[in-house]
Amino acid sequence: MNFDVAEHQGATERAVSVLQRDGEPARAVILSRSYHTSLEDLWDAVTTSERLARWFLPVTGELRPGGRYRLEGNAGGSITACGRPWHFALTWEFGEDVSWVEVRFSQDGAGRAKLTLTHTQRLSEHWSQYGPGATGVGWELGLLGLAFHLARPDALKPDELAFATSRDGKAFIRGSGEGWGQAAVASGEEPDAARAAAKRTIAFYTGEPPELD
């Protein structure tokens, strides 16, 4: 696979927002990526079970407002809003933890459409240890898979483990993790703590020991 690490790293916009959710301190991880496709095609790729399985994960349940969904081997939850082709929202329930995902779609010039994903979670020990990258890197890898799918809709889904352990995959993860560390600093996080959390996140995704200063 001809993979341009710098091009794909630069394709994602990253931000972290400090807020409250239900009266408790929370953080929102926000990422956006533009694709060479139509708004309707992007919506279809992200909201239909047949296409989700080709770039993300198999999903079961009722994909409609009020319906329950389950991603194979991952999270489940409830679909809380849906406005084709602009917006949907859902709860993200993993074990005992509940967070919230909102996805918005927009046109981005001729022949392009943009996806903006916001994942909001309460502050926790996990956030203190790994920062926004724990969520952000995972979603960024997902949006990379979406880019592959939109470029070659009939191609087989790439082997995720093989990619993550490859030289290009590790370089992509490293750049993503560092980018989320920078986004954390921009949101007001203490720089040394944000960089340390980013290193732990990169080590988790690559399976390599954290780099020491």
Side-chain angles (χ1 to χ4, degrees), residues 64-87:
R64 59 171 179 77
R68 296 281 301 178
Y69 73 93
R70 168 62 60 181
L71 291 165
E72 185 178 286
N74 204 298
S78 299
I79 299 171
T80 57
C82 181
R84 181 188 183 108
W86 307 105
H87 165 259

Side-chain angles (χ1 to χ4, degrees), residues 3 23 27-28 50 88 102 118-119 128 133 151 153 187 192 203 207:
F3 182 74
R27 297 291 185 272
E50 188 272 332
F88 70 83
E102 182 176 29
T118 302
H119 193 152
S128 299
S187 75
D192 287 343

Side-chain angles (χ1 to χ4, degrees), residues 4-164:
D4 189 324
V5 175
E7 177 185 348
H8 284 285
Q9 283 179 346
T12 301
E13 302 170 25
R14 309 172 188 90
V16 177
S17 179
V18 178
L19 68 159
Q20 288 195 334
R21 178 81 191 201
D22 299 331
E24 298 182 36
R27 297 291 185 272
V29 172
I30 307 162
L31 57 161
S32 298
R33 179 161 180 163
S34 181
Y35 298 95
H36 288 286
T37 192
S38 68
L39 185 64
E40 284 287 347
D41 185 52
L42 183 59
W43 171 270
D44 187 69
V46 176
T47 60
T48 60
S49 57
E50 188 272 332
R51 291 187 72 179
L52 276 166
R54 283 191 268 158
W55 66 269
F56 192 49
L57 289 169
V59 60
T60 55
E62 297 181 276
L63 304 186
R64 59 171 179 77
R68 296 281 301 178
Y69 73 93
R70 168 62 60 181
L71 291 165
E72 185 178 286
N74 204 298
S78 299
I79 299 171
T80 57
C82 181
R84 181 188 183 108
W86 307 105
H87 165 259
F88 70 83
L90 48 83
T91 62
W92 187 267
E93 302 170 21
F94 190 85
E96 299 299 317
D97 182 62
V98 179
S99 54
W100 303 268
V101 174
E102 182 176 29
V103 182
R104 293 189 177 275
F105 304 81
S106 59
Q107 294 177 329
D108 195 32
R112 298 191 67 92
K114 188 174 187 177
L115 181 153
T116 299
L117 185 149
T118 302
H119 193 152
T120 302
Q121 51 208 297
R122 297 183 182 93
L123 279 183
S124 65
E125 181 60 34
H126 187 267
W127 179 278
S128 299
Q129 186 173 5
Y130 293 101
T135 300
V137 172
W139 280 121
E140 203 164 329
L141 286 166
L143 296 192
L144 175 63
L146 176 57
F148 293 157
H149 169 68
L150 291 170
R152 300 181 60 195
D154 296 324
L156 294 175
K157 182 181 176 182
D159 187 308
E160 296 174 359
L161 180 59
F163 175 75

